[in-house]
Amino acid sequence: MKHLDAFYLFVKVVQQGGFSHAAAQLGMPTATLSRRISTLEQVLGCKLLSRTTRKLQLTEEGRRYFERLHPLLSEMEQVTGDIQGQSQRMSGLIKVAAPIAISNTFLMDGIIEFCLQYPDIRIDLLQSNDYTSLLDTDLDVVFFSGELPDSSLHARQLGEVQYGLFASPGYLAQKGELGSPEELDQHHIIQCWPHRNWQLTDNQGRRFHLKPVARLSVNQMQAAVKAALKGLGIVNVPRHYVAHYTEAGLLRPVLPGWLGGKRPFHMVYHGRELAPVRLNAFIEFIDRHMRERLASTWVMAEEGKQE
């Protein structure tokens, strides 16, 4: 393997019929090429080429080397070309992992748009809330909600996921509307990971801390929202996750002037210096898509209409 590059140069000299033509194709001085072949011959202890003023001929040893090396090096060139071409084409597989809730809403919209724009790219999406173990896998991109456990990771913060309190119209009709956060301890609470403790803030910077005694505690947002839709109580979930329920009138904001909390949302990936073009395109596409969605105020606007 030490002299593989010299063997490659030898094959090129034979294929081109001389040093000058081979040097021109390889983009190197003829003298340098000749010296490299001479060094190879010295290492091997035999002549590979018989040099004359009129033409270049293979010795018997040179012919045997060429016949064995030529197909091997040709195969290497083919494989290298295939890999380089694949990395530069908008095709191939991208392996992604993301939190269940956001991957079912904003992120899934972006992935679908990306797939429609680049039909030769395949996406393998793993939906999981087990963030830390995902960071140690061979996934291309991991979307991460919350503070990153390792500051050395290659990551972009795409925005913040904002939480709010919601309940069904039926529940509020039965239990009554709330005028302040202090009234929450008089209501049924549906608790959902990761918000075991509720840190509420309003637009004037006031804060309210609540450690609710939950009537129902779950670790999946879908289950918590289903319970709220059935009128079991008040839930604290991302605003974007229940936007379609609020639009349909199935859920209503509770204390709409108060934020139920917020969590940073990151995109984590490996270094991009040698990344295939499909992965760089995906990262930039999803970056734009998620920043626009997470920065949107339309959920707040919808809440304002229902006050």
Side-chain angles (χ1 to χ4, degrees), residues 41-57:
E41 291 174 328
Q42 292 172 11
V43 171
L44 296 174
C46 64
K47 280 284 187 182
L48 300 176
L49 298 167
S50 177
R51 301 167 177 82
T52 68
T53 56
R54 300 187 61 181
K55 63 179 180 179
L56 193 69
Q57 289 186 328

Side-chain angles (χ1 to χ4, degrees), residues 181-182 199-202 204-209 258 262:
E182 286 79 7
Q199 299 282 353
L200 309 183
T201 58
D202 70 358
Q204 297 179 1
R206 291 179 298 176
R207 297 178 180 272
F208 182 82
H209 173 77
W258 290 80
K262 57 185 179 181

Side-chain angles (χ1 to χ4, degrees), residues 5-179:
D5 58 338
F7 285 128
Y8 176 76
L9 297 178
F10 164 68
V11 169
K12 286 299 181 183
V13 169
V14 176
Q15 288 177 326
Q16 295 300 316
F19 285 93
S20 59
H21 292 297
Q25 185 190 57
L26 294 167
M28 62 190 304
T30 303
T32 301
L33 178 57
S34 178
R35 185 169 60 252
R36 294 285 296 278
I37 299 301
S38 296
T39 301
L40 176 62
E41 291 174 328
Q42 292 172 11
V43 171
L44 296 174
C46 64
K47 280 284 187 182
L48 300 176
L49 298 167
S50 177
R51 301 167 177 82
T52 68
T53 56
R54 300 187 61 181
K55 63 179 180 179
L56 193 69
Q57 289 186 328
L58 284 167
T59 65
E60 180 60 25
E61 291 80 5
R63 181 185 61 79
R64 292 206 310 270
Y65 267 106
F66 179 77
E67 289 176 352
R68 297 289 297 275
L69 290 172
H70 178 239
L72 295 175
L73 293 174
S74 295
E75 179 67 16
M76 288 179 61
E77 284 187 325
Q78 179 64 45
V79 172
T80 300
D82 289 346
I83 292 174
Q84 289 176 335
Q86 176 69 21
S87 69
Q88 297 305 313
R89 289 194 296 270
M90 294 300 285
S91 62
L93 176 66
I94 301 174
K95 293 184 286 186
V96 181
I100 296 171
I102 205 162
S103 62
N104 283 336
T105 51
F106 286 168
L107 182 58
M108 183 56 69
D109 292 340
I111 289 175
I112 291 171
E113 290 178 21
F114 183 81
C115 289
L116 291 173
Q117 186 168 332
Y118 301 104
D120 293 329
I121 292 180
R122 295 175 292 120
I123 303 291
D124 186 352
L125 173 62
L126 171 63
Q127 295 174 286
S128 173
N129 290 329
D130 186 11
Y131 308 120
T132 53
S133 64
L134 293 174
L135 297 176
D136 296 325
T137 65
D138 62 346
L139 294 163
D140 295 306
V141 179
V142 175
F143 293 92
F144 195 96
S145 181
E147 298 297 333
L148 291 173
D150 185 350
S151 61
S152 67
L153 294 168
H154 295 278
R156 294 186 188 183
Q157 182 172 331
L158 304 180
E160 291 181 325
V161 177
Q162 295 191 349
Y163 284 69
L165 309 186
F166 298 89
S168 70
Y171 173 84
L172 294 174
Q174 179 184 6
K175 297 292 185 178
E177 300 283 350
L178 284 77

